Amino acid sequence: MRALLILTFCAGPLAGQQASAYVPLDHWTMPYVEHLIASGVLADPTPLTRPLREADLVRALRGVDTLTTSGAVTATVRRLLAAFTSGQREEESRYRLDGNLGLAAATYAKRDPLAAIDSAGPRAAGPKHGYVNGGFALQLDFGPVVAVTHPYFDTRLKYDPDWFGKKDRKLAGRTAESYVSAQWRFGEVFFGRLDRNWGPSVVPGLLLSANPYGLDHLGIALGTSRVQLQAIATQLDDRIDPIGARVHRYMTQHRLWLRPADEWSFALWEGSVLSGADRQFEPWYLNILNLGLLEQLNTGTNVNSFVGLDFERRGDATLFGQLMLDDIQVDRSAASDQKPISYALTAGAKGGVGRGAAWTLFYTRVSNLAYRNEDNLQVPLYHFLGTGRNFDDYDQLTAKLGVLTRSGVLLEPEVTLLRQGEGDPRLPHPPVPDLPSTATIFQGVVQRTIRLALGGRWEGDRWGVVANGGVHFVHNADHVAGVSATHFVGSVGVTYRVRYEHGLR
């Protein structure tokens, strides 16, 4: 923390640019932004990295050739620009206050309808209910430093099985974003709370995504628009071990992000999860230039290590993929070497149709033991939510189409096939005698879900309306062989927004 303060106050003479806030992953503009990127109309400012910085997004939006796009795309680009620009000069200090008030209703209480399938367990839907939400976001821009806080209330949190906070109040609330970021030409130092997604933007990252609620962390980025070293470090929630001792848990992730050409982007990354009753964050794992896997081997300290690769190749059809390796047994001589391989992967493509429509197709799978470890406390879970994927032992094939109408409505039909085994990252690691009978993927009775859905949204300067409805055809429901079920899963919401911005003198 001391280093963050020093760099924050020293960033002035180093700065070559105005600091920029991040566009939250759940901001109303992001579905439109991702649609324009998928269609090829908008250049992705930072492939394989979300959230986007406001300044980078505005620059990309201003670069759109509206003479060759449809009227619907042109109007959308102008509306998005208006959401982030004002009469204030970009280089001056200013503050911005965004407020919203909304009503919603849904047949499920979770954030993701595809996570709301079962009556119990990790994919439990939660009750159908009506909700009220509202809040405000304050953004302060001081040259090379930006500060953001975004508290809000949402009665949905009371019913969400994934929410770890208090649920015995009439109004449940949280702070979605709260951070200070010091930025200069060749780097950034960040501290606070912000949802991130490392990997292709169409799926949750394999080790870092928006799944956990409120993951405060220290972040560092060093480099240019072509090459960056990036790292985050965070403390996960404490747990109680089998002998009753309180165990501290930490996670660090290092990433080398490369963009050798406008068409190609790569990210090589690693992650380490540490735990111990009296353990502190060892500096050799915090060092952004160290390889955690080597430090584990050389220091003899106990961690759960992950390595991965993400890539994207932009073109008429943009190709993307990712791979994570957790545990690979080469030597099968001992009983403990019979552990199945632990891995996860994604492969997909997206592209444009006509003058503004977009399609997306991807396949992803996560093996049975991908996030589990022989030390059951060294797992990438934060309050029992995955820091990357929230499920394992599954695969998913999804096809989506995005159509932007002249009125500004974004329609997104979807077809998904989901196969889910009985494995779960919250389960304990199998004992050694059970390893030979443990499946690499699809443990136990496999539940199969076919989802046919249609999402739609219309967002104006003040008002926004969002709706999503789908039918889930479930075979082996709740992992009971031969049992079938059909569920309608739907949600609708309306939001009123206000914004005020002014310079600081």
Side-chain angles (χ1 to χ4, degrees), residues 59-107:
R59 192 176 304 112
L61 288 168
R62 287 172 174 167
V64 173
D65 184 2
T66 55
L67 296 178
T68 60
T69 59
S70 66
V73 169
T74 300
T76 299
V77 170
R78 290 173 179 169
R79 189 164 69 254
L80 296 177
L81 279 171
F84 299 114
T85 58
S86 68
Q88 302 297 322
R89 294 184 304 173
E90 294 183 3
E91 68 273 11
E92 76 175 344
S93 298
R94 61 188 185 276
Y95 72 91
R96 188 171 78 197
L97 185 65
D98 294 273
N100 71 278
L101 183 65
L103 299 173
T107 63

Side-chain angles (χ1 to χ4, degrees), residues 299-347:
T299 62
T301 49
N302 185 23
V303 301
N304 185 12
S305 297
F306 304 82
V307 295
L309 166 69
D310 305 324
F311 78 89
E312 181 175 297
R313 198 276 181 186
R314 182 183 175 190
D316 293 336
T318 296
L319 307 178
F320 56 84
Q322 56 186 168
L323 174 66
M324 181 186 78
L325 297 177
D326 178 16
D327 199 344
I328 301 176
Q329 300 295 332
V330 178
D331 185 0
R332 296 283 181 172
S333 58
S336 59
D337 297 333
Q338 303 304 309
K339 178 178 178 178
I341 181 175
S342 301
Y343 69 95
L345 60 84
T346 301

Side-chain angles (χ1 to χ4, degrees), residues 4 7-9 11 19 144-146 180-184 187-191 221:
L4 172 67
L7 285 170
T8 298
F9 288 111
V145 178
V146 60
V180 175
S181 174
Q183 303 170 13
W184 60 99
E188 175 189 11
V189 176
F190 171 101
F191 181 76

Side-chain angles (χ1 to χ4, degrees), residues 416-458:
T416 289
L417 170 62
L418 173 70
R419 297 185 296 177
Q420 175 70 64
E422 294 187 49
D424 182 66
R426 287 154 281 261
L427 294 174
H429 191 275
V432 171
D434 292 346
L435 291 179
S437 61
T438 300
T440 300
I441 190 169
F442 299 139
Q443 183 76 31
V445 177
V446 180
Q447 177 177 271
R448 184 179 72 246
T449 302
I450 297 176
R451 169 176 166 82
L452 305 177
L454 175 64
R457 65 176 58 238
W458 174 85

